[in-house]
DNA sequence: GAGGTGACGACCC
DNA sequence: TGGGTCGCCACCT
């Protein structure tokens, strides 16, 4: 029954992309969803992030924020863990929002495509 | 088995 | 131009 952690293909894909996010960069749920081919399923990406809480790997979910650069899931990280981690990456975060979001934004469907 | 929810996003009025 | 509503897909109860 495919025991192991319940990792559907979609979730696994999300985890792969998230882990590919370079340090000092961030992306949005929609960007990942779009990269997977389901731009409308940005919510599902958020689910994957939530499920990532059970992920043993160093899943940099803190590098994933909403389309507005707002740390939507910061509360889920457990306090300011998310913001603090982003600052450690060199990303300026103010009031739960990423500064220069456009500058640190990382698009998987673009950056990965070019390399 | 079915319904409601949810770390979002885009479209419509 | 801005605010509101619907849609998406999977997980949880």
């Amino acid at each position: 029954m495919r025991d192991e952690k319940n990792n559907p293909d979609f979730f696994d894909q999300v985890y792969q992309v998230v882990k590919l996010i370079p340090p000092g960069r961030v992306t949005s749920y929609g960007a990942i969803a779009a990269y997977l081919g389901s731009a409308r399923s940005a919510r599902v990406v958020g689910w994957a992030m939530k499920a990532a809480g059970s992920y043993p790997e160093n899943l940099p979910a803190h590098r994933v924020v909403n389309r507005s650069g707002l740390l939507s899931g910061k509360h889920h990280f457990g306090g300011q863990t998310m913001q603090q981690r982003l600052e450690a990456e060199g990303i300026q975060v103010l009031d739960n929002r990423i500064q220069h979001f456009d500058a640190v934004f990382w698009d998987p469907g673009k950056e990965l495509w070019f390399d």
Side-chain angles (χ1 to χ4, degrees):
Chain A
M1 288 130 185
R2 285 85 180 117
D3 37 274
E4 205 64 59
K5 58 215 175 266
N6 48 332
N7 54 345
D9 294 337
F10 207 93
F11 275 48
D12 187 36
Q13 295 289 8
V14 174
Y15 296 142
Q16 294 302 318
V17 177
V18 173
K19 289 192 292 187
L20 289 173
I21 300 173
R25 296 280 193 240
V26 294
T27 189
S28 62
Y29 305 98
I32 298 172
Y35 179 70
L36 298 178
S38 299
R40 267 70 172 186
S41 55
R43 284 178 137 182
V44 183
V45 178
W47 252 237
M49 296 289 99
K50 182 164 56 79
S54 300
Y55 215 70
E57 300 291 326
N58 290 333
L59 194 66
H62 62 273
R63 290 179 190 160
V64 184
V65 296
N66 65 5
R67 215 289 280 183
S68 304
L70 202 251
L71 279 60
S72 326
K74 176 196 135 185
H75 190 73
H76 277 263
F77 263 77
Q80 296 181 318
T81 305
M82 190 173 186
Q83 180 175 336
Q84 193 152 40
R85 271 192 167 179
L86 288 170
E87 291 181 335
E89 297 278 322
I91 299 172
Q92 298 178 0
V93 180
L94 183 64
D95 191 32
N96 300 340
R97 194 168 84 191
I98 294 177
Q99 304 302 299
H100 305 284
F101 180 62
D102 182 56
V104 297
F105 183 73
W106 180 79
D107 189 337
K110 182 178 179 182
E111 300 296 319
L112 287 176
W113 216 225
F114 241 118
D115 177 287

